[in-house]
Amino acid sequence: MPREITAYSNPLVKSVRDLRDKRHRREQRRFLAEGLRILTEARESGRLPTLLFFAAASAAHPLVRTLVDEVEAAGGDAIETTPDILSKLSGKDNPQAVVGVFEEFETTLDALDREAAGIWLVAERLRDPGNLGTILRTGDAVGAGGLILIGDCVDPFSVEAVRASMGALFTVPVVRCAWGDFLVWLRQGPGQLVGLSLDTDHDYRAPHYAAPTFLLTGNEAQGMPAGYAAACDTLVKLPMLGKADSLNAAVATAVMAYEVLAQQRG
Amino acid sequence: MPREITAYSNPLVKSVRDLRDKRHRREQRRFLAEGLRILTEARESGRLPTLLFFAAASAAHPLVRTLVDEVEAAGGDAIETTPDILSKLSGKDNPQAVVGVFEEFETTLDALDREAAGIWLVAERLRDPGNLGTILRTGDAVGAGGLILIGDCVDPFSVEAVRASMGALFTVPVVRCAWGDFLVWLRQGPGQLVGLSLDTDHDYRAPHYAAPTFLLTGNEAQGMPAGYAAACDTLVKLPMLGKADSLNAAVATAVMAYEVLAQQRG
């Protein structure tokens, strides 16, 4: 049976609310995901929250009932609560019907099977959580094997990244590692590293993108360091006809990924 | 000579701060743009702020000096101020060196020359300001003739949209209009209307995108109404191999726009 929390000052509410903050996520090694769509995606991908908050008004919704049942069957805690508390947890005026607390999960380079997918996404020093989530969402769509985050990237478990991923955080493997470790791993097997760069005239439609292709996107403001570019097998550029000198990082990644997908699908 | 404002309670500071709010933008018919990069893009596109706030510490920067000089030469007001006030204006802890207040500008369907560009972007009920700005930024990159906003879209002059556009708001013409008016205008001349839809099996790489092509993207959550889809000359779909059933709207628009561009460039 779900228990009920209606007191704003409940210490459990506070500790969950704290997960909006990176420091607390790191200490607790847990994160927040909100909304029936994202939590259902998680459930279908085999990830259940250990704590599930749901609005009393949504308790009869079939997808909410399924979530509650499965969370409890797995030994988790389902908590009926008020719209006010859901607002507090989600930081939004119009809260979602459900908020879940998940254990952090992550994988390592060595656990990846590079031949399982034709496209892999690699981002270095990605700073914007919306970009990170959007890249995960694109990765899901193109069937990417995973997203490899190099160096000081934004936290993939931040509320904004999870939200922008629309659930793809649960379907696309994420690895965080150092550049050196990535390069060593990369060169132990097949795969070309293709870097998006502004310092080349090589059009992105020119190369042949054999599987597996690793697409490297640099920092939003600075692009990638020269040493990283030098380590790529190919550098490519998207045509830019306008006054601006760059594209949004998630957009550039997506245009590249769809070109690779189109080639690999024939 | 620039004047100086250092008092947080200055009424001018308050009236500019109010421009973060849609109602005040509508009343004042002015909007905020922040940051040296965006304001320089605006200046180079022939748009100067009527009010320019700049940090005393940045006064010697050559691009800031150019902005101050040109704003004053055009009869505008350049105001040296403190980091605290810039924070208040920009709503950010690490404020930009400059904040500008611009008169709203907009164009109409009848003012567009559809044969001046091969790609036109059309979005209906776009709700996210980051998506709107990102679509403008992509529009600049692909040389789009403009962005046509149909129905109840988010305000293109919101701080978030201007920021995400990275200055493209100043280079890509924006029209806001009703669907009926758009259709009447569209059918008065050449051009095919291509809709992104989940309800078709027609791959986006299959059609021939003759110039001018109008790319229609629907609402983030709901896509476009059936009647709008029926009015399109072609519906196309991006392949989606994963668990999710859609892409971010700005990403989908960009992948489409780059396909059209690649075809039109040969």
Side-chain angles (χ1 to χ4, degrees), chain A residues 91-172:
Chain A
K92 284 167 121 183
D93 290 342
N94 295 308
Q96 300 275 359
V98 288
V99 172
V101 177
F102 293 79
E103 305 286 334
E104 276 192 13
F105 52 87
E106 209 161 343
T107 187
T108 62
L109 288 169
D110 290 331
L112 299 178
D113 172 10
R114 71 176 76 198
E115 305 198 49
I119 307 175
W120 295 80
L121 304 177
V122 189
E124 69 101 11
R125 288 178 305 147
L126 198 68
R127 300 307 306 155
D128 184 89
N131 282 344
L132 195 156
T134 301
I135 288 174
L136 281 170
R137 189 175 176 190
T138 300
D140 177 87
V142 299
L147 171 62
I148 299 166
L149 296 171
I150 307 279
D152 187 22
C153 286
V154 66
D155 183 3
F157 300 107
S158 73
V159 171
E160 297 77 11
V162 176
R163 189 181 289 155
S165 87
M166 291 298 283
L169 178 72
F170 297 100
T171 64
V172 177

Side-chain angles (χ1 to χ4, degrees), chain B:
Chain B
M1 267 296 287
R3 58 189 170 120
E4 203 179 325
I5 293 182
T6 55
Y8 206 71
S9 56
N10 184 293
L12 184 63
V13 171
K14 181 178 180 322
S15 86
V16 171
R17 175 71 181 74
D18 282 347
L19 292 174
R20 305 183 62 75
D21 183 78
K22 185 176 181 176
R23 181 170 60 83
H24 289 282
R25 282 198 301 279
R26 199 179 290 149
E27 282 169 13
Q28 298 188 30
R29 300 199 58 76
R30 303 188 302 167
F31 69 99
L32 283 177
E34 307 163 337
L36 203 44
R37 179 170 167 174
I38 293 180
L39 265 66
T40 297
E41 185 86 67
R43 177 176 63 74
E44 291 176 350
S45 306
R47 304 259 177 207
L48 288 168
T50 54
L51 269 176
L52 174 73
F53 291 84
F54 63 99
S58 315
H61 190 296
L63 288 173
V64 174
R65 293 176 65 109
T66 305
L67 271 169
V68 169
D69 289 348
E70 293 200 14
V71 164
E72 294 194 323
D77 213 353
I79 297 164
E80 190 174 299
T81 190
T82 65
D84 267 5
I85 289 177
L86 284 168
S87 276
K88 184 176 180 183
L89 295 178
S90 75
K92 284 167 120 182
D93 291 341
N94 295 308
Q96 302 275 0
V98 288
V99 172
V101 177
F102 293 79
E103 305 285 334
E104 276 192 13
F105 51 89
E106 210 162 342
T107 187
T108 61
L109 288 170
D110 290 331
L112 300 178
D113 173 10
R114 71 176 76 197
E115 306 198 50
I119 308 175
W120 295 81
L121 304 177
V122 189
E124 71 100 12
R125 288 178 303 148
L126 198 67
R127 300 307 307 156
D128 183 86
N131 282 344
L132 194 155
T134 302
I135 288 174
L136 280 171
R137 189 175 175 188
T138 300
D140 176 87
V142 300
L147 172 62
I148 299 167
L149 297 171
I150 307 279
D152 187 23
C153 286
V154 66
D155 183 2
F157 299 108
S158 74
V159 171
E160 297 78 10
V162 175
R163 190 181 288 155
S165 87
M166 291 299 281
L169 177 72
F170 296 100
T171 63
V172 178
V174 175
V175 174
R176 291 188 270 198
C177 63
W179 172 248
D181 295 336
F182 167 67
L183 263 196
V184 167
W185 173 83
L186 177 72
R187 298 311 181 194
Q188 284 165 359
Q192 63 177 328
L193 183 61
V194 177
L196 269 83
S197 169
L198 300 171
D199 300 323
T200 176
D201 292 324
H202 193 201
D203 190 85
Y204 79 113
R205 293 241 172 177
H208 172 59
Y209 297 113
T213 285
F214 293 82
L215 288 178
L216 174 59
T217 310
N219 171 265
E220 287 96 336
Q222 297 155 12
M224 69 185 74
Y228 292 27
C232 289
D233 297 297
T234 316
L235 294 177
V236 295
K237 183 181 179 174
L238 293 166
M240 272 175 280
L241 311 185
K243 303 232 176 65
D245 57 359
S246 69
L247 285 162
N248 168 275
V251 158
T253 301
V255 174
M256 280 299 306
Y258 266 93
E259 172 59 20
V260 175
L261 180 65
Q263 285 195 16
Q264 293 184 353
R265 298 180 93 200

Side-chain angles (χ1 to χ4, degrees), chain A residues 10-73:
Chain A
N10 185 292
L12 185 62
V13 171
K14 180 176 182 324
S15 87
V16 171
R17 175 70 181 75
D18 281 347
L19 293 174
R20 305 184 63 74
D21 183 77
K22 184 176 181 177
R23 182 170 61 84
H24 289 283
R25 282 198 301 278
R26 199 179 290 148
E27 282 169 13
Q28 300 187 29
R29 299 198 58 77
R30 304 189 301 168
F31 68 99
L32 284 177
E34 308 163 338
L36 204 44
R37 179 169 166 176
I38 292 180
L39 264 66
T40 297
E41 186 84 66
R43 178 175 64 73
E44 291 176 349
S45 306
R47 303 260 176 204
L48 287 168
T50 53
L51 269 177
L52 174 72
F53 292 83
F54 62 99
S58 315
H61 189 296
L63 288 174
V64 175
R65 292 175 66 109
T66 304
L67 270 169
V68 169
D69 290 348
E70 294 201 13
V71 165
E72 295 194 321

